[in-house]
Amino acid sequence: MNNRLNPIYVILLVAGLAGCASAPPQAAQDAAASAATAGTASKTRIERAADLPRFSYPVSGDLVALMNDPVRFKPLVQQLKQDQEGVLAQFDIAETATQRQYLGLLSQVAMLEGRYTDALALAAQIKVLQEKPAEKLMSGLVTRAAAAAALKHNSRDSAAYKQEVANFIRTELNGMPFAVVQNDVMRFKASAEFLGEGLITGRIREVLQPIAAQTGALSSDMAPTLVSSQYALTYVLPLKDTLVATYGAYLKANQADKPNIWAARDIALPAGRDFKPVVLAVWDSGVDPALFAQQRLTAAVASSGVNTSGRVDASFIAFDKYSLPANTELLPITPEVQANLVQMQNRSKGLSDAQANIESSEATEVKTYLSGLKPADYKNAIEALTLTGNYQHGTHVAGIALAGNPYARLVNARIGFGHTLLPDPCPTPELEARGVRAIAAYVDFMKKTGVQVANMSWGGQVKSYETSLEQCNIGKDAAERKTLARGYFQARWDGLKAAMATAPGIVFVAAAGNSGNDATFNEAYPASIVLPNLITVGAVDKSGDEAAFTSYGPTVAVHANGYQVDSFVPGGDRVAFSGTSMAAPQVANLAAKLLAVNPILTPIEVIGLIKSTAEKTADGRRTLINPAKALAVAGFR
């Protein structure tokens, strides 16, 4: 089950608003720190997300109606609250992001129940558990502002309440270093601008409702969406104009652009030197061949020592989302998306512009479109945007990987990513067996065509299999789904690791993921696989500050620019996208340049050079690549 590592603009925005913000008073922080660490010695340790307890919640009828009926909704909320508290009391969870997730849901429950002092205390606990610099400052801002205002004003509809929220947020932001929180404030502003009732309830109607209709229950992975959606409808959506105005005024008052550390580090190799051609595979959703016609690997390159196995065109291999052989270089799109491709590509640009606080016509259009989305239109809208993003993804990645390297020769290894809200296809033993065989075929093709660097901006997790099985109504209960998911995931994990191990002459570059979690705790592949010829990459912005979305963990060796990175989309337009998908090909780009300059380097030596010339930040969380330094060490003059 391979999933595109969606750039940060992709639309599930409510969760980003639900947990925004500020530093509690020091006394509260100290109390929260004690609460966060108390009693861990007597708890059972959880080292993997897949080992967390599962729960099931009976539900019936229309879920939106259930959510809006206090009498029926209260027992479900109370059971969720009890289970979340029980997990935190019984288990020592190794990953703080998961701890924050549990506490965040409890904070939303407290808000829905009007327990504002409790919500503030929970926000303080979450604050203590934050790890990234911006999140340490921005953690819980909307919740804290709304809770503090509600303690002072009885009516949440009053102008006084909304002004209190604005004053709280403004005061907190004014005490923060703009350079650290700028990206997050822009993201929160965009999230508020996109927000609408249709966007909030659409996932309930289109994803949760079919599960409930088939099974009469929701798992502990799905049911919390009802709470977070009700929280968004109750506390966030009514503050939409207040949030947009407050964030916008702060950004307008602090317009200094962040410095770009990458311009001085980047090196473009000059054409006409005696450098060696380097074969680079973009293992992704497909590449527009017309855009890179001069750099595609063909039989003519065989004279440089590349084995093309007698093929006239050695640049292309593809399997579709069913892991069946395919014959198109770009991911196929539906007739509807094809007919509206210009508009869909403009909406992709608008989503990206909005995240960067760029007031373009495309951003204005997509804000209006999404915030006014009718519930009945949610499915078509989100699926079309997702499919468009998938269609663009591989070409965008290729443009980054090939930039400034006239010696790179492109191999297009196309994957078929799904785009539907409900799984298509559903996991089956036959599908997973074909998937493992397809992985082996990709790597075998890369070996035969002399690939030396392969970029992988995609991944999968064991929990994703469980979610798909629940959506497909496969497995009689959570325990059976857990067993099935583990088997499917492990086969894919083992197959991918084994295939890469058979290609010691290839440098594999993996994106860490965009979930903001520990890739190892969540067992993400390929990001948490350990091999001597594999390097995993996290994302920072143009100043080297850690991106809010980037995953992390012990296998994330280096960081590269993955925020608002400009590159091609099919057809030749250029758009800036964000994600670890954009950071990984920066490292693939560097690996290919090192091999062009110094072709005798082994993959282990290439990875060693990238790591040894990278620079650790003062907080120890980021290791920033330095292409100029690495190429100098490799002998580039």
Side-chain angles (χ1 to χ4, degrees):
M1 178 173 291
N2 298 322
N3 299 306
R4 176 173 67 95
L5 301 182
N6 294 329
I8 195 63
Y9 65 74
V10 174
I11 309 302
L12 301 177
L13 301 163
V14 174
L17 282 169
C20 317
S22 74
Q26 189 59 49
Q29 293 186 45
D30 293 342
S34 297
T37 57
T40 56
S42 61
K43 297 179 181 180
T44 301
R45 182 74 167 174
I46 297 286
E47 297 285 358
R48 304 185 304 178
D51 293 334
L52 289 163
R54 280 86 165 156
F55 304 98
S56 183
Y57 303 93
V59 291
S60 61
D62 185 298
L63 294 183
V64 175
L66 167 67
M67 188 177 69
N68 292 321
D69 182 342
V71 174
R72 295 174 59 213
F73 194 45
K74 183 177 180 179
L76 174 61
V77 173
Q78 287 299 305
Q79 190 61 54
L80 274 164
K81 174 176 176 286
Q82 179 179 320
D83 291 337
Q84 300 279 307
E85 290 176 335
V87 170
L88 291 172
Q90 296 174 49
F91 299 99
D92 174 20
I93 302 170
E95 188 203 38
T96 58
T98 299
Q99 296 178 48
R100 296 195 301 268
Q101 181 181 337
Y102 279 92
L103 291 167
L105 184 67
L106 292 174
S107 176
Q108 291 174 351
V109 170
M111 293 292 289
L112 291 175
E113 294 177 344
R115 295 183 290 106
Y116 300 121
T117 302
D118 290 346
L120 290 169
L122 287 161
Q125 290 187 54
I126 295 169
K127 167 75 166 68
V128 170
L129 294 170
Q130 293 289 358
E131 298 170 284
K132 298 177 182 178
E135 281 63 41
K136 285 178 179 291
L137 296 167
M138 293 288 290
S139 177
L141 186 56
V142 171
T143 296
R144 280 177 48 77
L151 287 170
K152 292 184 178 181
H153 302 278
N154 292 327
S155 173
R156 288 185 286 104
D157 293 326
S158 69
Y161 167 81
K162 293 179 180 178
Q163 188 59 52
E164 188 74 32
V165 170
N167 292 341
F168 186 100
I169 293 174
R170 185 183 305 113
T171 300
E172 293 291 335
L173 289 176
N174 286 339
M176 299 177 190
F178 179 68
V180 176
V181 301
Q182 175 185 4
N183 295 342
D184 285 58
V185 176
M186 291 192 297
R187 179 164 57 93
F188 295 149
K189 176 176 176 284
S191 295
E193 289 171 320
F194 290 135
L195 203 61
E197 184 173 350
L199 201 60
I200 296 170
T201 62
R203 182 169 176 79
I204 296 172
R205 296 182 186 278
E206 299 297 341
V207 177
L208 274 64
Q209 189 69 56
I211 299 172
Q214 290 186 87
T215 68
L218 293 174
S219 72
S220 47
D221 291 325
M222 295 291 185
T225 301
L226 296 173
V227 172
S228 61
S229 298
Q230 184 67 294
Y231 167 83
L233 289 168
T234 304
Y235 286 98
V236 183
L237 187 57
L239 290 169
K240 174 175 178 170
D241 292 342
T242 300
L243 295 173
V244 172
T246 306
Y247 292 140
Y250 174 74
L251 291 168
K252 186 175 181 179
N254 297 272
Q255 294 187 23
D257 196 16
K258 301 182 78 167
N260 185 348
I261 68 168
W262 300 108
R265 296 175 180 225
D266 191 28
I267 295 289
L269 298 183
R273 298 281 294 271
D274 58 349
F275 295 148
K276 186 81 169 178
V278 177
V279 184
L280 188 155
V282 173
W283 195 355
D284 210 289
S285 64
V287 177
D288 184 345
L291 298 181
F292 308 103
Q294 301 304 311
Q295 290 186 276
R296 294 178 66 188
L297 177 66
T298 64
V301 184
S303 62
S304 298
V306 174
N307 174 18
T308 61
S309 301
R311 292 170 58 100
V312 174
D313 181 354
S315 66
F316 166 54
I317 182 174
F319 288 85
D320 63 17
K321 64 181 180 179
Y322 304 101
S323 291
L324 296 171
N327 58 10
T328 58
E329 297 203 47
L330 275 170
L331 188 78
I333 52 179
T334 63
E336 294 76 16
V337 169
Q338 182 67 61
N340 297 287
L341 188 57
V342 172
Q343 180 185 58
M344 296 309 303
Q345 301 240 56
N346 284 340
R347 283 178 176 163
S348 284
K349 180 180 183 298
L351 290 165
S352 177
D353 287 348
Q355 291 287 341
N357 199 37
I358 296 171
E359 298 296 337
S360 65
S361 59
E362 294 91 347
T364 299
E365 190 276 336
V366 79
K367 290 173 193 175
T368 303
Y369 172 66
L370 288 175
S371 62
L373 201 63
K374 303 297 184 186
D377 297 328
Y378 176 88
K379 179 177 184 293
N380 287 340
I382 299 305
E383 289 185 346
L385 284 167
T386 303
L387 179 56
T388 303
N390 289 351
Y391 175 73
Q392 297 170 324
H393 195 261
T395 300
H396 198 271
V397 167
I400 299 168
L402 295 169
N405 188 359
Y407 308 95
R409 300 293 178 262
L410 173 66
V411 164
N412 177 11
R414 183 173 77 73
I415 302 173
F417 295 129
H419 70 280
T420 53
L421 292 175
L422 298 177
D424 176 23
C426 291
T428 65
E430 295 77 17
L431 175 67
E432 294 310 310
R434 288 201 305 270
V436 172
R437 291 195 297 270
I439 288 170
Y442 281 117
V443 175
D444 186 56
F445 180 80
M446 292 179 200
K447 289 187 291 185
K448 289 179 179 177
T449 52
V451 167
Q452 295 156 277
V453 180
N455 189 85
M456 300 180 291
S457 290
W458 47 266
Q461 299 179 5
V462 64
K463 291 291 285 183
S464 298
Y465 279 98
E466 286 192 55
T467 299
S468 292
L469 289 166
E470 180 179 4
Q471 291 178 289
C472 294
N473 194 23
I474 297 173
K476 66 178 183 293
D477 53 26
E480 185 171 335
R481 288 195 296 270
K482 177 182 177 181
T483 300
L484 287 170
R486 171 57 63 183
Y488 292 153
F489 168 82
Q490 202 63 53
R492 190 71 66 112
W493 166 286
D494 291 344
L496 179 57
K497 184 173 182 179
M500 290 190 293
T502 69
I506 299 176
V507 177
F508 291 96
V509 182
N514 297 335
S515 63
N517 292 101
D518 185 317
T520 298
F521 181 81
N522 284 275
E523 299 182 90
Y525 65 72
S528 64
I529 292 176
V530 176
L531 284 170
N533 59 330
L534 170 66
I535 183 169
T536 298
V537 185
V540 294
D541 69 6
K542 67 180 183 180
S543 292
D545 292 328
E546 194 167 11
F549 53 80
T550 188
S551 294
Y552 53 90
T555 61
V556 180
V558 293
H559 295 77
N561 186 17
Y563 187 81
Q564 289 295 300
V565 181
D566 183 70
S567 184
F568 294 104
V569 293
D573 288 342
R574 295 187 71 96
V575 182
F577 290 153
S578 299
T580 56
S581 287
M582 284 69 241
Q586 309 273 0
V587 175
N589 178 290
L590 175 54
K593 286 175 178 174
L594 289 170
L595 287 165
V597 169
N598 192 340
I600 67 170
L601 292 172
T602 67
I604 292 174
E605 290 170 336
V606 169
I607 291 172
L609 253 179
I610 293 170
K611 290 181 179 179
S612 66
T613 55
E615 298 161 357
K616 205 77 172 175
T617 56
D619 63 5
R621 287 188 56 83
R622 292 155 288 150
T623 306
L624 308 179
I625 64 168
N626 192 323
K629 187 183 293 186
L631 283 161
V633 173
F636 175 69
R637 299 291 183 270

